[in-house]
Amino acid sequence: MPKRLLVTAALPYANGHIHIGHLVEYLMTDVWVRYQRLQGRQAAYICADDTHGTAIMMAARKAGVPESALLAEMSAAHQQDFADFGIRFDHYGSTDSATNKAFVYEIWAKLRAAGHIDQKTVTQLYDPTAGAFLADRFVKGICPKCGAPDQYGDSCDKCGATYEATDLKQPKSTLSGAVPELREAVHAFVKLEDFRTIIADWVGRDGALHPDMQKWVRNTFLIEGEPLRSWDVSRPAAYFGFEIPDLPGNYFYVWLDAPFGYIASTADWCAKTGDTWQHWWQGDGVEVHHFIGKDIAKFHTLFWPAMLRLAGHNLPEKIHIHGFLTVNGEKMSKSKGTFIRARTYLDHLDPRWLRYYYAAKFTDGAEDLDLSLDEFTAKVNADLIGKVVNLASRTAKFVPRLATTYPEDGGLFTRAATEGTAIAAAYDAGNTGEAMRRIMALADRANEFVEKAAPWALKKDPAKAADLEAACSVALNLFRQLCVYLAPVLPDFAEECGRLLGTPITRWSDAQSPLTGTAIAEFKPLMNRIDPLKVQAMVDASKAEAPGTPDPGPRTPDAVTDGPEALAAEPLAPIITFDDFAKVDLRVARVVNAEEVPKAKKILKLTLSLGGDQTRTVFAGIKTAYPDPKPLVGRLVVFVANLAPRQMSFGLSEGMVIAAGPGDQDIYLLAPDSGAKPGQRIR
RNA sequence: GGCACUGUAGCUCAGCGGUUAGAGCGGUGGCUUCAUAAGCCAUAGGUCCUCGGUUCAAGUCCGAGCAGUGCUACCA
C-alpha cells in the first residue's frame, strides 16, 4: 500500500535572495515530488523561510525596520522566485510563527522533563553598543597564542589554535566596532550523548543516508570512546528568535527552531486544508523525506533525529543530500558574473532550460554539480529542441488525427514503455541524470524512426495516406511517451502534449499505452532554443549587480567608486595613541627566498632581508593567494620586525608580513614604492 | 597530517567481475531538407591515473602509490 510522502527542502535564510545555487535543491525536490505524484503517490512539498538569528536582527537594525517587515518582504520575494521556476510548494511558511513556537516549547518541555538539558554559565563577550552577546563569528581580535590580528573568536586562522572568544586580545565587535566587555550568561545545552543510540541506529538504517554520508557521520561524530559534544541551544538577548520560557532573557538558537519549521509549516498547511499535521509526521502510513545541502548535514543527521524521536515523531525515511553548485567549474563568483540570482536568470532566460539542465546533472550523491554555461546552451538545444520538440514539430502537421489502431512500429513503443521502469527507478533514487540519459536515448530512436519513415515523402503520394497516418501516429505517440517521462522536469511539456493530442497526461502509466483516434490540434512551438547572447547578457547583468567590482579596463582615478563593503565587513578599530602605534616596528624587507612548506596548504616560508646580513624567517599564511612562491623572491614587503617569535610545527617564525584582504584568494601583500631600502623603518 | 570522494574518448559522464570498453556533445566526411539551420548515416579519437596482487577472467575486487576535490588540522 502506497505511503504518503512528506517532503521538505531546506528552509532558505531570510537574509538574502534566492540564487541559482539554491535552485539546485528546490528543483531537485520539485522534480522528485512531481515524479511521485505522477506515480499516484500522495506527496506534500513543504518549505518555509528560516528567519531567526543575529544576522536577521542586524539587517533589520541596519534598515531601520522591524524584523517582521524585513521577513515579509523577503518571503514574498522568495516565493515569487520559486513560483517562476515552476517550484510548487503545498505550503510556504515561516519559522517565525506561533505554530513553530508551540512546537519548540513542546520539545523544550520534554528535554527538560527528561533531564537532557545542562545549564552552564558561560563567560562571553558582550557588545554594549549593539546590546547583544557576540557569537564567535561576530568577534575579532588578536590571537592569544600567536598574536595574529583580525582573528575570529573561536579559533585562530593563522596558527590554528582554538580558544574561547574571551581569550582574544583586543577584541572588537564586528557588529558595531565597539570594544566588547565580558559578561556572564547561562547557556542551555542539550546532552546529545543521551541520544547516541537513537542517532547511531537511525544512521545505520538502510537507505536513510547515502553510504558516503553514513561514513561521514560515523567517522566525524560517532567515534568510539568519544561522547557526542553537547549542543548549545540558547542565546542570551539581544537575539531575534523565541524566548526560552524558563530562562527569561534567553532565546532558542536558530538551529533549534529552524527544523521544527518543517513541522510547523505542515501544521499551518493542515489548518487550511482541514488535515492534521500528525497525519504527516507520525505513524506508519507516511514517510518523511528531507532534501538538504551537504553544508547542513550535521544539523539534520545528529540533532534532528534526536529531537524527532524525543518529540515522538517519525524519523526521516531518507535525507537526500546534494553538493554545491559550481559555475564553469568554479565557485560562483560575483566578479565573474557567475553569482546569478534567480531573478536575474528569469530576466534573461527560460526557467525550463535550467530545470532540464539541472535534472540532467542530478545524482543521488553529494558531489558538487557544475553548471557549464557552454554545455548548458549546447545540451538544452540539442536534447530538448533538437530531439524532443523536433519530433512533434516535424510530424504533427501532416495528419489531422491519430490512427484508430496503433500501427506496427517494430516494437518501438513497447520497448520505450518497458524502459519506463528503469527511468522510474532512476527518478525514485534521485538519479535524475540517468533518467534524462535514458529518455534522450529513446528520443534518438524515435528520430531514427521518423527518418526512415519519411512522412514528408509519403505526403506527396496520395496513395500512401495510410502509411503517412501510421508514421505520424507512431512518432507522436513516441513523443507523448517522452513527455510523460519528462513531466516531472518539464510539466508544461506534458500539458502542451495533452492539448496537442487531445488527451491530458496525468499519470506515469500514460506512457504504457498508445493513444489512438484522437484529433491532432495545431502544433505550437514548445520552447525556444537558447541564444548564447542572452546567456552572456545574464552574466553581464550579474556582474553589474555585484558590488564594488567595476569593469576591468582603463580607469581614471576619479572614475573609481569604491564600495563600502570592505569597511562594513570590518569596522574601524578603537582609537590608539601614537605611543601605541610606535610600539609596532614596521620595516621594509626584501624577500630573498620563498618556498613551499611540506604538508602545509596555506603556508609559505619566506626569508626576508633587512639589509646587510640581517635576515628573518617568516611563515606566512598567503599560499592560497600566492601559490607560486618564485615571483615573490626579490620584491619588497612590509615586515613586522618586533613581533614575538612564534614556534610553529614547521619552524620558528620571526615576525610577519603585512597584507590586506579577507583571505583565501583575496590576500594582497603590501609593497613600498620604489626607492625604499630594506631595513628602513615605516612610520 | 586525518577522514572521505573522484581519476574511463577533446568536454560531460555511463559501465562496478565475463564477448572486440560505451553514450551525448564536440571533430571529420556524406545524406536529407519534414522540422525552431533541426534530423539521419559513417568515421576518427582511449596505456579505462600508476605499480603490484586475487581470479579461468579486472576500468570492474584487494593493497600500495600518484593526482584532483570536499571536510578537517596546520596557517605571527
Side-chain angles (χ1 to χ4, degrees):
Chain A
M1 126 172 174
K3 296 203 175 192
R4 294 186 310 284
L5 304 169
L6 189 286
V7 186
T8 73
L11 312 185
Y13 202 46
N15 198 28
H17 285 284
I18 301 302
H19 55 67
I20 56 173
H22 288 107
L23 290 172
V24 168
E25 175 168 312
Y26 303 94
L27 288 175
M28 175 184 284
T29 315
D30 189 69
V31 166
W32 197 77
V33 168
R34 286 177 186 271
Y35 161 75
Q36 297 296 345
R37 288 185 181 146
L38 272 179
Q39 287 286 19
R41 292 169 200 139
Q42 200 186 348
Y45 185 8
I46 301 293
C47 198
D49 264 5
D50 180 20
T51 58
H52 291 152
T54 310
I56 298 284
M57 181 176 77
M58 295 313 295
R61 284 189 191 180
K62 200 175 282 181
V65 298
E67 283 92 354
S68 57
L70 205 69
L71 297 182
E73 191 183 326
M74 196 53 80
S75 177
H78 284 178
Q79 292 188 58
Q80 191 61 54
D81 287 346
F82 288 138
D84 290 348
F85 270 94
I87 297 161
R88 202 170 302 156
F89 301 112
D90 289 288
H91 190 74
Y92 197 89
S94 164
T95 59
D96 192 45
S97 71
T99 318
N100 196 35
K101 193 174 189 176
F103 279 108
V104 173
Y105 278 22
E106 186 188 342
I107 194 70
W108 183 249
K110 286 185 173 165
L111 284 164
R112 279 284 195 205
H116 294 307
I117 303 295
D118 254 350
Q119 282 183 206
K120 282 184 274 190
T121 299
V122 174
T123 306
Q124 211 184 347
L125 294 171
Y126 179 83
D127 180 336
T129 305
F133 279 89
L134 298 167
D136 292 345
R137 53 180 283 248
F138 292 107
V139 191
K140 280 190 157 186
I142 296 177
C143 170
K145 294 256 170 66
C146 69
D150 203 27
Q151 295 307 313
Y152 285 110
D154 52 350
S155 67
C156 175
D157 202 24
K158 291 282 185 281
C159 73
T162 55
Y163 42 76
E164 301 301 313
T166 48
D167 296 334
L168 276 180
K169 292 178 186 164
Q170 297 182 22
K172 58 189 182 248
S173 164
T174 63
L175 300 185
S176 68
V179 178
E181 47 195 63
L182 283 179
R183 288 206 187 175
E184 290 195 336
V186 171
H187 278 239
F189 293 80
V190 172
K191 291 188 274 182
L192 210 57
E193 179 63 17
D194 293 354
F195 300 92
R196 188 188 189 93
T197 310
I198 290 167
I199 295 167
D201 286 353
W202 176 77
V203 166
R205 215 196 251 184
D206 203 31
L209 285 174
H210 188 278
D212 293 348
M213 296 310 298
Q214 208 176 38
K215 280 184 216 167
W216 175 76
V217 175
R218 286 178 172 155
N219 293 338
T220 313
F221 303 108
L222 298 172
I223 304 161
E224 208 160 325
E226 274 184 41
L228 287 163
R229 300 225 322 247
S230 288
W231 180 32
D232 184 355
V233 295
S234 75
R235 295 291 183 273
Y239 191 79
F240 180 55
F242 296 134
E243 192 164 18
I244 301 178
D246 52 12
L247 275 177
N250 290 275
Y251 292 79
F252 289 111
Y253 177 44
V254 55
W255 267 108
L256 183 72
D257 70 64
F260 281 98
Y262 294 141
I263 306 180
S265 191
T266 309
D268 286 342
W269 173 59
C270 289
K272 284 193 309 190
T273 62
D275 204 345
T276 64
W277 64 267
Q278 289 91 341
H279 190 230
W280 294 93
W281 285 88
Q282 295 180 342
D284 280 342
V286 61
E287 290 180 356
V288 172
H289 290 259
H290 296 303
F291 284 75
I292 62 167
K294 61 186 180 184
D295 52 326
I296 55 173
K298 179 174 159 184
F299 296 104
H300 285 80
T301 57
L302 293 180
F303 309 145
W304 188 229
M307 296 304 102
L308 283 171
R309 171 54 60 82
L310 183 66
H313 308 149
N314 290 351
L315 267 54
E317 178 69 18
K318 181 170 180 180
I319 297 189
H320 308 245
I321 302 176
H322 60 81
F324 298 141
L325 178 73
T326 56
V327 180
N328 293 335
E330 302 175 343
K331 271 187 198 169
M332 294 195 293
S333 150
K334 289 187 177 173
S335 59
K336 286 180 182 163
T338 54
F339 190 99
I340 300 164
R341 288 185 7 185
R343 187 51 49 188
T344 310
Y345 177 99
L346 290 166
D347 287 343
H348 294 87
L349 304 176
D350 186 332
R352 297 174 298 174
W353 298 338
L354 195 67
R355 287 184 71 99
Y356 175 72
Y357 183 83
Y358 276 0
K361 291 277 178 175
F362 290 152
T363 67
D364 68 344
E367 301 93 40
D368 289 352
L369 171 167
D370 186 48
L371 166 61
S372 151
L373 292 172
D374 288 342
E375 193 202 356
F376 168 71
T377 307
K379 189 167 187 61
V380 169
N381 285 346
D383 289 359
L384 293 185
I385 311 298
K387 292 179 182 177
V388 179
V389 172
N390 192 222
L391 194 56
S393 173
R394 68 195 302 205
T395 53
K397 67 178 183 189
F398 288 127
V399 289
R401 63 182 54 252
L402 296 174
T404 47
T405 54
Y406 186 70
E408 170 57 39
D409 67 359
L412 270 180
F413 188 92
T414 305
R415 278 204 300 277
T418 305
E419 181 71 359
T421 308
I423 295 168
Y427 268 120
D428 209 33
N431 285 318
T432 320
E434 182 188 341
M436 294 306 108
R437 278 194 298 280
R438 289 179 181 274
I439 293 167
M440 287 309 139
L442 296 180
D444 284 339
R445 283 183 228 159
N447 275 303
E448 288 163 25
F449 169 84
V450 174
E451 195 68 23
K452 285 187 190 117
W456 51 91
L458 300 172
K459 172 89 174 165
K460 290 173 184 158
D461 184 353
K464 294 188 174 161
D467 290 345
L468 176 64
E469 184 189 69
C472 293
S473 296
V474 170
L476 288 168
N477 266 298
L478 295 175
F479 169 71
R480 184 162 178 272
Q481 272 182 323
L482 297 176
C483 287
V484 174
Y485 293 152
L486 285 170
V489 179
L490 300 167
D492 53 342
F493 267 38
E495 208 170 300
E496 181 59 19
C497 177
R499 188 197 62 82
L500 181 70
L501 302 181
T503 309
I505 289 170
T506 57
R507 292 163 310 182
W508 188 256
S509 58
D510 286 337
Q512 293 303 305
S513 45
L515 280 184
T516 51
T518 63
I520 298 166
E522 184 199 355
F523 177 78
K524 290 182 188 161
L526 283 165
M527 179 183 271
N528 293 315
R529 44 187 32 248
I530 302 182
D531 179 351
L533 292 177
K534 288 186 181 169
V535 176
Q536 189 55 48
M538 173 182 74
V539 170
D540 290 343
S542 297
K543 251 186 230 171
E545 284 166 14
T549 52
D551 281 338
R555 276 182 270 166
T556 54
D558 55 348
V560 175
T561 47
D562 294 317
E565 294 74 24
L567 187 60
E570 187 173 349
L572 296 176
I575 299 290
I576 60 169
T577 65
F578 180 79
D579 289 344
D580 285 338
F581 169 70
K583 287 179 189 164
V584 182
D585 192 349
L586 299 175
R587 297 286 171 155
V588 176
R590 188 180 301 281
V591 180
V592 292
N593 191 32
E595 55 190 84
E596 301 190 35
V597 179
K599 295 174 187 173
K601 270 186 205 158
K602 301 185 183 174
I603 309 299
L604 289 181
K605 180 181 179 182
L606 304 179
T607 307
L608 305 178
S609 167
L610 295 173
D613 58 358
Q614 288 289 312
T615 63
R616 298 286 188 279
T617 300
V618 169
F619 291 93
I622 58 171
K623 193 179 174 186
T624 44
Y626 298 88
D628 180 8
K630 284 186 219 78
L632 292 173
V633 176
R635 67 169 284 179
L636 297 179
V637 295
V638 176
F639 170 59
V640 186
N642 62 339
L643 193 61
R646 159 81 179 173
Q647 184 61 49
M648 297 168 46
S649 50
F650 324 108
L652 190 67
S653 189
E654 306 168 300
M656 62 186 285
V657 292
I658 302 233
D664 286 336
Q665 270 68 256
D666 293 322
I667 296 175
Y668 308 95
L669 284 172
L670 267 64
D673 279 348
S674 60
K677 297 279 185 295
Q680 284 176 337
R681 182 150 189 192
I682 297 167
R683 46 170 72 92

